């Protein structure tokens, strides 16, 4: 494998340009499965880590140095801009993020700001600028945002929800209000991704993690139009847009219609069939089940080869997990996955 001075394999694959091997990165690649990450977290809480550019930079670089991934992703969280809109967010050890005062009605929506993100979340853009300096001769930097719909689920549910009954209640009882909220969130997200690109992000991934719980009609009404606005903006800046939905396998045509350059698949989809269906129009990212990384090295390699074989020959594939890496994943297994992708993919690019 001959790596050029700056390894742009990831960006080339996003644009479906020829590459010499399949690039790979891991969602949540800087995380608790790494003892080096835990060492940083032992000193500061998660939000402080996100808000201190030197530390966020350090965390972002851990997997770059230790795993040899082909892209770095800014260390932050999708809920940072929601906090900047005026909502208090707490990250708890066991339940994940919590909003003590979720949005309950029109007054709460009116009370939200569309913040001047350059000031309110200046630490994000500072981290991006620092990272671009650190990474200049190495690999590209991915920025990200939650999609408006997924951010609204947190704002209304107040936490990671199982059934999404609160936001769905709004869909059926007060859809106009939900649109009001989504519009405000969309304005914030557009400014946020724009400022990330201006600061140096070279691709943007939009996480619409929870949209997979929507029926097609509801997806088209409450998520699609807002995601499309965000993706339009990203594409205007000229960087590739990647769209991820957990459970998005039934929404593929809509996902393509958002204008995204890359569709990020969860582990349930058969990437061969997805390529047949939409692979002419977009690049594909994914899609190993994160739990495969509990297996032994031989099994991990076999499953990596299976996905590479299913995607088949040619560019337009970025290898990744189908969702974030789990905190109890053995580090060595993540490393084996990266190694296997790099070694086993060369034959598909000859
Ligand atoms: O991929 C990366 O390495 C970049 C960093 C990143 C984090 N969160 C760091 C994080 C990214 C891209 C996210 C996105 C995110 N955050 C999503 C969308 C992606 C997905 O997983 O579906 C969502 C839904 C969130 C909200 C969120 N943040 C949850 C549900 C949790 C708790 C779950 C968990 O793993 O603890 C978080 C916290 C969080 N975000 C952690 C990290 C590394 C763990 C915090 C800690 O160190 O204690």
């Amino acid at each position: 494998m001959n790596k050029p001075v700056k390894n742009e394999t990831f960006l080339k694959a996003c644009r479906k340009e020829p590459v010499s091997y399949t690039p790979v990165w891991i969602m949540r690649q800087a995380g608790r499965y790494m003892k080096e990450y835990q060492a940083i977290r032992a000193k500061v809480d998660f939000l402080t880590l996100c808000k201190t550019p030197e530390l966020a930079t350090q965390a972002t670089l851990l997997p770059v140095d230790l795993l040899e991934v082909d892209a770095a992703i800014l260390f932050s969280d999708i809920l940072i801009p929601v906090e900047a809109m005026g909502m208090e967010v707490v990250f708890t050890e066991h339940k994940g993020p919590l909003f003590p005062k979720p949005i309950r009605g029109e007054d709460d929506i009116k009370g939200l700001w569309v913040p001047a993100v350059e000031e309110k979340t200046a630490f994000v853009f500072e981290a991006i600028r620092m990272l671009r300096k650190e990474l200049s001769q190495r690999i590209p930097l991915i920025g990200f945002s939650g999609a408006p719909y997924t951010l609204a689920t947190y704002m209304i549910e107040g936490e990671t929800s199982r059934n999404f009954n609160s936001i769905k209640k709004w869909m059926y009882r007060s859809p106009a209000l939900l649109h009001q909220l989504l519009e405000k969130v969309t304005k914030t997200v557009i400014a946020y991704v724009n400022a990330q690109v201006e600061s140096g992000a070279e691709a943007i991934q939009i996480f619409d993690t929870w949209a997979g719980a929507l029926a097609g009609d509801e997806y088209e009404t409450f998520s699609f139009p807002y995601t499309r606005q965000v993706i339009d903006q990203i594409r205007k800046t000229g960087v590739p847009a990647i769209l991820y939905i957990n459970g998005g396998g039934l929404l593929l045509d809509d996902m393509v219609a958002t204008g995204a350059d890359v569709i990020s698949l969860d582990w349930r989809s058969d990437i061969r069939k997805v390529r047949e269906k939409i692979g002419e129009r977009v690049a594909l990212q994914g899609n190993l089940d994160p739990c495969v990384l509990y297996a032994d090295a031989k099994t991990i390699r076999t499953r990596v080869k299976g996905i590479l074989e299913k995607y088949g020959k040619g560019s337009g594939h970025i290898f990744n997990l189908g969702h974030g890496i789990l905190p109890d994943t053995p580090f060595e297994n993540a490393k084996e996955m990266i190694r296997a992708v790099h070694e086993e993919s060369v034959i598909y690019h000859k």
Side-chain angles (χ1 to χ4, degrees), residues 25-32 37 41 46 49 73-79 91-93 95-97 144 150 154 160 207 209-210 244 246 323-324 327:
W25 65 281
I26 301 178
M27 288 193 260
R28 291 275 172 98
Q29 62 191 12
R32 285 163 298 181
Y37 174 80
R41 277 281 281 106
F46 177 64
L49 175 44
I73 181 163
L74 169 71
F75 188 86
S76 186
D77 197 82
I78 60 166
L79 299 173
F91 284 87
T92 64
E93 214 49 57
K95 285 196 72 184
F144 68 89
T150 286
Y154 277 102
T160 304
F207 289 96
T209 303
W210 307 127
Y244 173 77
N246 191 359
H323 198 189

Side-chain angles (χ1 to χ4, degrees), residues 75-224:
F75 188 86
S76 186
D77 197 82
I78 60 166
L79 299 173
I80 292 289
V82 176
E83 190 190 45
M85 291 181 78
M87 290 188 73
E88 187 195 347
V89 53
V90 216
F91 284 87
T92 64
E93 214 49 57
H94 296 293
K95 285 196 72 184
L98 282 181
F99 290 89
K101 291 192 213 96
I103 301 288
R104 292 283 182 241
E106 190 163 13
D107 288 348
D108 293 339
I109 299 175
K110 290 220 158 73
L112 293 169
W113 300 306
V114 174
V117 287
E118 285 86 351
E119 289 157 38
K120 278 271 174 189
T121 58
F123 50 87
V124 168
F125 313 115
E126 182 58 24
I128 291 176
R129 285 189 293 268
M130 288 173 109
L131 278 162
R132 276 305 299 276
K133 278 198 200 122
E134 296 286 337
L135 290 168
S136 61
Q137 296 307 314
R138 301 179 72 186
I139 52 175
L141 175 65
I142 306 171
F144 68 89
S145 172
Y149 174 74
T150 286
L151 297 182
T153 66
Y154 277 102
M155 296 166 92
I156 292 176
E157 302 284 340
E159 61 188 344
T160 304
S161 172
R162 184 178 280 266
N163 294 318
F164 304 100
N165 356 9
S166 301
I167 192 166
K168 288 191 176 185
K169 212 175 266 171
W170 281 50
M171 284 177 202
Y172 298 108
R173 291 185 181 172
S174 32
L177 268 190
L178 182 52
H179 283 297
Q180 247 184 56
L181 174 62
L182 287 163
E183 272 160 28
K184 250 179 158 165
V185 176
T186 302
K187 283 192 186 132
T188 305
V189 169
I190 285 177
Y192 189 62
V193 294
N194 212 21
Q196 288 190 41
V197 176
E198 274 176 11
S199 311
E202 293 162 283
I204 298 282
Q205 176 148 331
I206 298 299
F207 289 96
D208 205 357
T209 303
W210 307 127
L214 295 177
D217 285 348
E218 277 65 43
Y219 180 74
E220 284 171 17
T221 308
F222 296 103
S223 179
F224 175 80

Side-chain angles (χ1 to χ4, degrees), residues 275-334:
R275 188 180 187 187
E276 281 164 15
K277 192 173 153 77
I278 62 170
E280 282 295 312
R281 292 175 281 165
V282 288
L284 300 177
Q285 181 170 271
N287 70 338
L288 191 72
D289 185 342
C291 294
V292 170
L293 298 187
Y294 292 142
D296 56 56
K298 190 159 166 272
T299 308
I300 291 169
R301 189 165 283 255
T302 306
R303 299 299 296 269
V304 164
K305 282 166 83 172
I307 287 174
L308 292 170
E309 194 268 322
K310 278 187 182 166
Y311 185 84
K313 275 189 171 284
S315 188
H317 183 205
I318 299 138
F319 202 98
N320 206 318
L321 297 177
H323 198 189
I325 189 166
L326 294 159
D328 59 349
T329 303
F331 174 79
E332 268 313 310
N333 293 3

